[in-house]
Structure formats: C-alpha cells, structure tokens
Amino acid sequence: MSSEIKSRVRCDIDLDAPGRQAGYLRAPLSRNTSGWGTVEIPIVSVKNGSGPRILFTGGVHGDEYEGQIAISRLARTLDPATVQGQVIMIPAVNMPAVMNDTRLSPVDNRDMNRCFPGNPRGTFSEMLAHFIDAIVLPHVDVSIDLHTCGHSGDAALSTNMHYVSDKAMREKTMAAAAAFGAPYNVVFWGVDEGATLTSAVERRGILSLGTELGGWGRVNVEGVRIADRGLQNIMRHFGLIVGEPETRQKDGAAATRHMMVRDQAGYSFAPSGGLFEPRNVVGDDCRAGAKL
Ligand SMILES: [Zn+2]
C-alpha cells in the first residue's frame, strides 16, 4: 500500500476468516454531540471451504426496504455448514439514510449510488463508497445489490444489469439474472452512469446484478418474497448451497422474462413540473407513442 490512507472506515470482522463473522463497519462521523463519533453498519460474513464469493448489499438508498429485510433475514439464518464459498452481507449500507428513511444521506445530502468509486477523504457518502469499492469488492466474485424505486417511483419486480461489452460476462450475468428468478430482468442503458456501485463492480471485472423490487416508499410483500427466493437462488446457481434455483412465476411462466432498454429513447422525462397521473401500472404492455 502507498502512504495514501486506505480507508477511514474500520471493519471489525476478518473478511478472510472461515465460519460466521458478525460485526460492524465503524464509519467516523464527527457531529456536535460526538466529536469522535462513529456510525455502525452491520456486516456479516459466512464462509466455509472454497467456492465463489458473493456480496449481497441492501439499503444503499435508505427508503428501499425489501433488500434490507431479505438480506437481514439471510444474515441471521445462513448456516456456514451449508455453504461452500463465502457470502458477505451488508443489509443497510447507507445507515444514515436508512435511519432517515431517505434516498439521500442526511449527513452530506448525497446519493451514495452516485459517489463511486468514492474518496477516503471525501464526504461521508464518498468515504463509504470508497470502502465498498476498495476494501470489500476485492473480496468478491459476484455482487448483488438490492434496490427498489424508493419514494421516486415504482418498478415491475425485476433484476437489472448493464449490457456489458464483454460477451462472456454478459452471458454469465444473464444466467445469474435468470437464476435469481424475478418476474423480469432488464438489460439497460443508463441515464447517468460511471458513479454507481454497478459501474464500480464492472470496472473490477466482477459480475454485477441489481434489482428493483418495489417502490412508492412502502414494503412490497411480493418484492420481499422474490428477494428472499432470489438470494437463495443465487447461492444455488453459483454452487454455494445445494439445490436448483426455483424460477417459476406467479402467472405460471417457468422463467424470468428478459427485457431491454436499448438507449435514451427508452426513457420519458417530464418537460415541466406538475401532477403526474399514471395511466398504467408497472408491467403493463404499452405501445410507442401511446399515452402513459
Ligand atoms: Zn435504489
């Protein structure tokens, strides 16, 4: 290592140790009532034998609950004796935003998912992003980051991924998405890319899969079910636990439907402020040019 500080965030578990390790990331946050205060962010590692290393993250945005619920549940229950490989779980990455029930961090008013690869000397969100990128990602082969649309919208229950240029990685990611087993998988072109966790994961050559499992700032019950099942399915798919992924859909379909957002034409932005009246619910079929 150079003389550059590696991170200001302290991790009190050993990410290389076998068995179940549960502890906290301790991120320094000086405030009026605590000059040397820290924010504690739970982290659990379950490792046994050799096999793929998977990272499950939730709560990068604080008002997105399904991933937080599913990853917390898995972190409490996953038995190392049943695992071949390693699962690192951080159910509430952006703890200040989680406690504040907001997308942005109340500490620095930043969207953590626009702060990657981060900066160890930067704002609180930048410091956290740097820790995830520089310290956690080198320990994993696969990153599954669970999101919903929070208060900013709604989404058909789906996984999502970039159309990564490397064909082999694209096919591996498509296969992982199919194994996750959400009703849809969206292969998308991003509006504002480069500073997301997904982009940071891809820059490191690691398989990246995201989700949108609800929205409107509430807990989507079916989204939680898909999240719980998806985490198990991913561990099965990569051979960490025994069994085949269960991908049957509620409507009887046997598998995930793959969709694609090819370019900017896939987006429609409001030209001005006002009251938005949706004419469809997420997942409805619609035609180009039709009133949404
Ligand atoms: Zn999100």
Side-chain angles (χ1 to χ4, degrees), residues 144 157-161 169-187 207-211 226 229-238 244-249 253-259:
I144 313 287
L157 304 182
S158 51
T159 45
N160 58 61
M161 56 180 278
M169 180 58 91
R170 193 164 68 237
E171 287 172 355
K172 271 173 67 179
T173 311
M174 292 275 289
F180 189 99
Y184 298 92
N185 176 51
V186 183
V187 183
L207 189 152
S208 174
L209 191 65
T211 71
I226 293 293
R229 189 178 78 163
L231 299 180
Q232 297 290 330
N233 279 347
I234 285 290
M235 292 189 293
R236 290 178 182 135
H237 175 70
F238 287 102
E244 291 297 313
E246 296 168 13
T247 60
R248 182 156 295 278
Q249 302 299 318
T256 297
R257 277 177 74 191
H258 295 275
M259 314 286 284

Side-chain angles (χ1 to χ4, degrees), residues 46-54 78-87 235 238-242:
V46 171
K47 183 177 180 184
N48 185 41
S50 59
R53 304 165 302 168
I54 300 181
L78 187 61
D79 178 358
T82 65
V83 169
Q84 282 296 317
Q86 184 177 17
V87 185
M235 292 189 293
F238 287 102
L240 273 85
I241 60 174
V242 294

Side-chain angles (χ1 to χ4, degrees), residues 60-61 63-64 103 113 146-150 211-212:
V60 167
H61 294 132
D63 60 345
E64 304 176 4
R103 179 182 181 87
N113 210 26
L146 301 190
H147 285 252
T148 80
C149 288
T211 71
E212 299 291 353

Side-chain angles (χ1 to χ4, degrees), residues 8-24:
R8 295 170 58 215
V9 179
R10 202 153 46 84
C11 177
D12 61 17
I13 65 169
D14 179 355
L15 292 176
D16 294 320
R20 182 178 188 274
Q21 317 287 325
Y24 293 98

Side-chain angles (χ1 to χ4, degrees), residues 22-182:
Y24 293 98
L25 309 177
R26 299 183 194 276
L29 179 61
S30 175
R31 56 249 203 214
N32 285 331
T33 53
S34 183
W36 298 99
T38 58
V39 172
E40 294 174 333
I41 301 166
I43 180 168
V44 175
S45 168
V46 171
K47 183 177 180 184
N48 185 41
S50 59
R53 304 165 302 168
I54 300 181
L55 173 66
F56 291 137
T57 45
V60 167
H61 294 132
D63 60 345
E64 304 176 4
Y65 317 115
E66 290 79 348
Q68 297 181 46
I69 293 169
I71 297 169
S72 296
R73 181 156 32 235
L74 184 66
R76 288 192 299 270
T77 54
L78 187 61
D79 178 358
T82 65
V83 169
Q84 282 296 317
Q86 184 177 17
V87 185
I88 297 173
M89 293 160 277
I90 313 176
V93 174
N94 192 348
M95 185 55 86
V98 165
M99 298 306 289
N100 203 44
D101 189 23
T102 51
R103 179 182 181 87
L104 305 190
S105 170
V107 176
D108 56 12
N109 213 33
R110 297 287 302 276
D111 178 338
M112 187 186 166
N113 210 26
R114 305 291 181 272
C115 290
F116 285 88
N119 175 1
R121 298 178 193 272
T123 71
F124 191 84
S125 298
E126 290 171 341
M127 173 183 69
L128 270 186
H130 173 267
F131 181 85
I132 298 294
D133 181 58
I135 309 297
V136 179
L137 290 187
H139 284 269
V140 304
D141 307 303
V142 174
S143 162
I144 313 287
D145 186 30
L146 301 190
H147 285 252
T148 80
C149 288
H151 284 93
S152 60
D154 197 9
L157 304 182
S158 51
T159 45
N160 58 61
M161 56 180 278
H162 283 147
Y163 190 83
V164 287
S165 53
D166 181 272
K167 185 165 180 278
M169 180 58 91
R170 193 164 68 237
E171 287 172 355
K172 271 173 67 179
T173 311
M174 292 275 289
F180 189 99

